[in-house]
Amino acid sequence: METLKIFLAGRWREGRGELMQSRFPADGSLNAELHAANLDDVNDAVAAAERAWRAPEWRQQLPHQRAAILQRVSELIVEQLEPLAQLQTRDNGKPLAETRGLVASAAATARYFAAACEVLEGELPTQRSHDAMTLSQYQPLGVIAAITPWNSPIASEMQKVAPALAAGNAVILKPAEATPLMALKLAELFEQAGLPAGLLSVLPGKGSVIGEALARHPLVKKISFTGGTSTGRHLAHVAAEKLIPTSLELGGKSPTMVLADADLEQAARGICYGIFSSAGQACIAGSRLFVHRSLYQPLLARLCELASGLRVGNPLQPGVHLGPLINARHRQSVADYVALAQQEGGRVLIGGEIPADPQLANGSYYLPTIIEGLNNEARVCQEEIFGPVLVAMPFDDEAQLIEMANDSVYGLAAGIWSRDFPRAMALASQLETGTVWINTYKTFSISTPFGGFKHSGLGREKGLHGIKAYMQQKSVYLALNHQINRWSD
């Protein structure tokens, strides 16, 4: 057990808020204690960030100099990949195989935005006059409030911090209350890489206190938030009152669709990964399954077979597929949704309970669960469960499929399984989601924008969209002659 400090404007200091704890979801053991930030810490961090991003040492730094810091952070992450993965597993309970991938993803994100920082260009719009030339420039916004979730800390945090810094801003990072460890470690890595003091602060604490104060602070010029839709909607209201931009990556209830010509084994394994990896604690989890009636029974039989073979256990042990849920309260929420599904007429085909293994009794584990017998109007098909729960439904024609797939307030992601690519592409174009996977699922590229439709969010992360989201565009008109304006004659 460690006693940690917060990172405020380049200094490690004890937070002035209440005592908080980080616990290992696998057994409830204590990882660390620290004092959370308070409102005075918020004000100090924002004031330092405002000074730091305006300072000539940062504002006039050439792109390749900012890129060098991000590149060094990437190198440090790669050098420390295994201990960082173990720390992330302690932080939120994901199996090591997954956290290794998340840490590698964070390194790739820093590396990508280092490159994007160097190659990002303004524009020279097509001229409509011989009298003037126009230039389009991109400049930083200022102080950014980055608020991140507990399910993928280091990856989510780097997807906000790296582009914001690459764009020339300063960042105040507010990690999820349950998972402060990775954000503080990230601050340490940026400090080692030579980031000037004040450009990054990490303020653990309650979202309703620290996140709210950051969002409302008059010097904060953008809110970047990943988390629940209700909180995102609230932050959008705050941003609207301040007339500042937001990036909101929110909830999902993603449909996975298996057409009649799909490769059954490929689909079954992809669906299994799409819903049960991360124990279903992913906004993109493929939680609604629509299967053509001709494949429905054989596919469900294969899915149940695969789910029964998944290993649930201590995430630090090799070969584990599902670790614990983030805490006992969240596990109860998942269990309540399964009970609701049964009340609504659903049949649990597999799972639907806590593991019986006494060695797992102290952790917040839940078995992979498959439910059938419901229609798309059921609450468990409309509300985000955020756990290892799949609801399967048959369909007969594609018109019905599209209607059901789009019948959701969410629009984050979708999966299609079919051997007929033109048909799958035609279906993808009709889906109201920000990402569509065809014959794969949860495949990512840092160079490809990511975000949602409808209640799944606003704006995009990743790609060149990701860095421009932390900048504001300026137009400059340059006269090409010395002609005097005679209007006042």
Side-chain angles (χ1 to χ4, degrees):
M1 195 275 289
E2 291 185 85
T3 300
L4 301 178
K5 295 182 178 180
I6 67 173
F7 187 69
L8 200 161
R11 293 176 52 218
W12 295 95
R13 53 186 278 184
E14 190 169 281
R16 287 172 278 187
E18 62 186 18
L19 187 68
M20 58 185 289
Q21 297 178 331
S22 164
R23 291 189 176 274
F24 186 26
D27 58 16
S29 59
L30 193 61
N31 292 325
E33 288 185 337
L34 70 157
H35 281 275
N38 72 358
L39 298 183
D40 290 331
D41 293 322
V42 170
N43 290 330
D44 289 350
V46 174
E50 177 71 11
R51 291 191 299 270
W53 86 270
R54 290 186 180 277
E57 294 80 6
W58 182 247
R59 198 163 193 180
Q60 295 176 13
Q61 207 173 70
L62 295 173
H64 75 273
Q65 294 171 316
R66 292 200 299 273
I69 295 172
L70 291 169
Q71 183 63 41
R72 182 57 185 147
V73 169
S74 177
E75 293 167 356
L76 289 169
I77 291 173
V78 171
E79 291 169 8
Q80 302 175 44
L81 191 147
E82 188 60 25
L84 287 171
Q86 295 210 18
L87 184 64
Q88 168 115 22
T89 293
R90 295 284 316 185
D91 213 11
N92 75 347
K94 282 192 175 184
L96 274 173
E98 289 191 40
T99 57
R100 289 185 185 113
L102 291 169
V103 172
S105 171
T109 298
R111 194 163 54 245
Y112 174 84
F113 283 111
C117 176
E118 290 208 64
V119 303
L120 188 67
E121 298 177 342
E123 291 126 24
L124 188 67
T126 302
Q127 302 306 302
R128 299 298 180 187
S129 167
H130 296 296
D131 298 330
M133 174 184 291
T134 56
L135 309 173
S136 184
Q137 301 176 341
Y138 293 90
Q139 297 184 340
L141 289 163
V143 180
I144 308 298
I147 305 172
T148 55
W150 49 258
N151 59 326
S152 299
I154 194 169
S156 296
E157 287 152 5
M158 189 63 87
Q159 284 172 20
K160 299 181 187 302
V161 173
L165 291 175
N169 302 284
V171 183
I172 315 294
L173 175 59
K174 209 298 286 182
E177 188 178 358
T179 53
L181 302 185
M182 293 310 295
L184 293 169
K185 188 65 178 179
L186 203 58
E188 182 182 316
L189 295 175
F190 272 100
E191 183 182 34
Q192 291 176 23
L195 184 71
L199 290 168
L200 176 64
S201 291
V202 177
L203 304 183
K206 290 183 178 180
S208 59
V209 178
I210 305 304
E212 182 77 7
L214 283 171
R216 292 190 179 278
H217 198 289
L219 291 179
V220 167
K221 300 304 181 185
K222 179 183 171 84
I223 304 166
S224 181
F225 171 77
T226 299
T229 297
S230 60
T231 302
R233 186 180 292 112
H234 168 69
L235 291 174
H237 281 289
V238 173
E241 291 172 0
K242 293 174 61 180
L243 289 178
I244 63 171
T246 58
S247 293
L248 303 174
E249 199 264 276
L250 308 177
K253 195 68 184 176
S254 301
T256 300
M257 294 150 279
V258 182
L259 306 189
D261 64 349
D263 181 316
L264 189 145
E265 184 66 11
Q266 182 189 41
R269 288 188 175 272
I271 292 161
C272 186
Y273 175 70
I275 180 61
F276 296 134
S277 62
S278 302
Q281 298 172 117
C283 52
I284 53 172
S287 54
R288 291 186 296 152
L289 175 61
F290 301 103
V291 187
H292 191 271
R293 199 172 295 276
S294 64
L295 284 183
Y296 184 77
Q297 291 301 335
L299 181 65
L300 253 64
R302 182 60 178 138
L303 281 171
C304 287
E305 185 179 18
L306 290 171
S308 67
L310 295 175
R311 292 179 290 279
V312 179
N314 189 315
L316 290 171
Q317 298 301 317
V320 167
H321 293 104
L322 282 81
L325 301 181
I326 187 64
N327 53 42
R329 185 181 64 216
H330 182 58
R331 182 178 66 181
Q332 186 59 53
S333 172
V334 172
D336 288 345
Y337 268 113
V338 173
L340 174 63
Q342 292 173 301
Q343 294 169 15
E344 292 181 309
R347 297 183 296 278
V348 175
L349 300 180
I350 191 169
E353 58 188 4
I354 296 169
D357 186 347
Q359 295 187 17
L360 305 181
N362 292 329
S364 48
Y365 296 91
Y366 200 80
L367 292 175
T369 301
I370 301 175
I371 299 170
E372 69 167 353
L374 296 170
N375 60 38
N376 194 53
E377 286 72 41
R379 279 184 59 190
V380 292
C381 295
Q382 293 294 320
E383 299 176 15
E384 187 175 38
I385 298 174
F386 221 66
V389 179
L390 176 68
V391 181
M393 294 163 279
F395 73 90
D396 295 298
D397 61 72
E398 287 184 25
Q400 178 194 25
L401 172 62
I402 294 165
E403 181 180 353
M404 290 192 298
N406 287 336
D407 182 19
S408 171
V409 297
Y410 297 109
L412 192 57
I416 301 171
W417 303 89
S418 172
R419 289 187 175 95
D420 187 338
F421 289 161
R423 184 182 182 193
M425 288 294 291
L427 177 57
S429 69
Q430 299 177 75
L431 296 174
E432 297 168 355
T433 64
T435 295
V436 179
W437 287 289
I438 298 175
N439 293 334
T440 185
Y441 207 88
K442 291 176 78 172
T443 301
F444 286 109
S445 168
I446 185 58
S447 62
T448 304
F450 178 78
F453 288 13
K454 300 188 282 188
H455 289 191
S456 287
L458 298 170
R460 293 294 180 266
E461 292 188 326
K462 303 184 179 182
L464 292 180
H465 290 74
I467 189 170
K468 288 185 177 179
Y470 293 96
M471 307 181 86
Q472 50 194 341
Q473 183 273 342
K474 174 186 288 184
S475 296
V476 178
Y477 286 76
L478 175 64
L480 297 179
N481 56 47
H482 296 288
Q483 183 175 344
I484 297 174
N485 188 319
R486 296 294 183 183
W487 176 83
S488 57
D489 287 350

